[in-house]
Structures are given as C-alpha cells and as structure tokens.
Amino acid sequence: MTIVDGPNILILKKTFRDIIETSWENGEIIYLDFSSLEAGIVLAEAGKYAEEMDLYGEISKNQFGGLIPRDTVKIAVLAELYGISRSALKIKLGISDKKLSEFINTLENYFDIVGLKKRLRKEVDDFGFLKNRFGRQLQVPEGQDNLLVNTYAQSSGVDVSMIGFDSILQHLGLDGIRPL
C-alpha cells in the first residue's frame, strides 16, 4: 500500500494509534499485525519456522544463547533484510568489526541469505524478472543484488497480508466492518 493523500497511518507509532476513532457509535478500532512477517518469509525460504510467537526472541535464545538482546537481534535482522550497510549497523549497535561479522554471519547462515540471493539472482538472469512467493513478477534494477531479498520478502509480505485480511473479511463479512 501507498498513502497518496492524508496522514501516513502505515508508519504511525503505536503510542499514537488512539488518534484513530471509529465512526460508529459503540464501535471499535481493531488492528491486526502480521508480526515479523518479512523475516518469517525469509526464514521459511530457508526451510525453517519459528516455534515461538516472538521470532527475534527465539533467534536470540537459540542462536546466541540469550546473550544478544532480542532488540539487537531484530535490528540486525532487519538491517540484513533491508540492506543497511555494515558500517551503519556497527555504529547503531556500538560493537567491534569482529563481533559484528560473527553476529551477521550467524544470522546470514540461519536465514540462508546467501542461498536465497543466489536463487533470486539466477531467476532474474534466467527470466529477466523476479517472482515473489505467490508468482507475482517483480522488477529489480540492474546491478542491485542487495535489493533481491528485500524486494522478494516485502512483495511476498504484502500478498500474505492481503490474503490474510481478505480471509478474515470473508469469514466475518462486511456488515458493520470497514477496513482502514
């Protein structure tokens, strides 16, 4: 989705969500969150699935023995998926090059980022485009391999969200419900 006009509620902080009000008397605003969606998609591509609701907490516990805080794991995973430079991540986390390399290598291996990038690069080379998990064709700018995983994960995540919301609305019906 893209906000064309008005406030950008897609990135509205949780603390400000109470500014959204229902237009029905005695109505409620209910939001759904597909937690850790893109990271979960990339993890599934590696043939793995989170056993716990908190993916980043699970990674902290299982990959780092709980010694790396959950929020640090989340920042690093998102940095890896969205292509933040290692130097920017190093500054953000305040750790040495050696520790950062070990940390990122563990995450890359866990998510099989290299394998996914190779598969996606081959797909672009063979067909001239990338397909998301649901077969939707995606264009990736030439020479932008750093965007392959990001583009794949975000596009697949959008489709998962749309299918999920549609399924919920099909189940509940639209009587008294207005998706925002």
Side-chain angles (χ1 to χ4, degrees):
M1 290 176 111
T2 302
I3 301 296
V4 177
D5 188 28
N8 191 348
I9 64 169
L10 294 177
I11 58 169
L12 183 66
K13 290 184 179 185
K14 241 183 213 183
T15 54
F16 297 116
R17 286 190 184 150
D18 62 350
I19 66 171
I20 301 172
E21 295 181 355
T22 179
S23 55
W24 285 292
E25 188 175 327
N26 298 321
E28 290 183 57
I29 301 288
I30 299 171
Y31 72 92
L32 302 172
D33 183 359
F34 291 85
S35 181
S36 310
L37 182 57
E38 288 93 352
I41 288 168
V42 175
L43 188 62
E45 289 297 325
K48 300 174 185 168
Y49 300 91
E51 298 291 327
E52 300 175 17
M53 290 289 292
D54 180 5
L55 172 62
Y56 305 114
E58 181 177 323
I59 293 169
S60 171
K61 182 173 72 179
N62 295 341
Q63 296 300 303
F64 303 105
L67 298 174
I68 307 278
R70 175 226 185 260
D71 289 342
T72 301
V73 170
K74 179 179 178 179
I75 289 167
V77 168
L78 294 176
E80 194 61 28
L81 294 181
Y82 296 110
I84 295 173
S85 72
R86 293 234 174 155
S87 59
L89 183 58
K90 178 184 157 190
I91 291 167
K92 188 166 187 69
L93 298 179
I95 60 177
S96 70
D97 284 331
K98 184 176 190 260
K99 284 192 179 210
L100 181 64
S101 288
E102 291 170 2
F103 183 39
I104 294 301
N105 287 342
T106 300
L107 292 174
E108 282 181 339
N109 289 334
Y110 184 69
F111 282 93
D112 189 22
I113 297 292
V114 172
L116 181 56
K117 278 183 185 176
K118 282 182 183 176
R119 189 188 95 208
L120 298 175
R121 175 78 263 156
K122 182 174 179 351
E123 191 174 306
V124 171
D125 290 344
D126 290 350
F127 304 109
F129 55 83
L130 182 66
K131 284 186 184 178
N132 78 0
R133 185 70 179 161
F134 297 90
R136 187 157 44 99
Q137 292 183 12
L138 311 165
Q139 296 300 319
V140 179
E142 188 72 31
Q144 296 285 320
D145 282 7
N146 60 317
L147 296 178
L148 291 171
V149 172
N150 170 290
T151 301
Y152 180 86
Q154 283 194 341
S155 174
S156 297
V158 167
D159 288 356
V160 166
S161 297
M162 297 303 283
I163 291 166
F165 287 123
D166 182 62
S167 176
I168 290 165
L169 291 174
Q170 292 294 324
H171 178 74
L172 296 176
L174 288 176
D175 187 33
I177 296 175
R178 181 177 43 195
L180 300 174

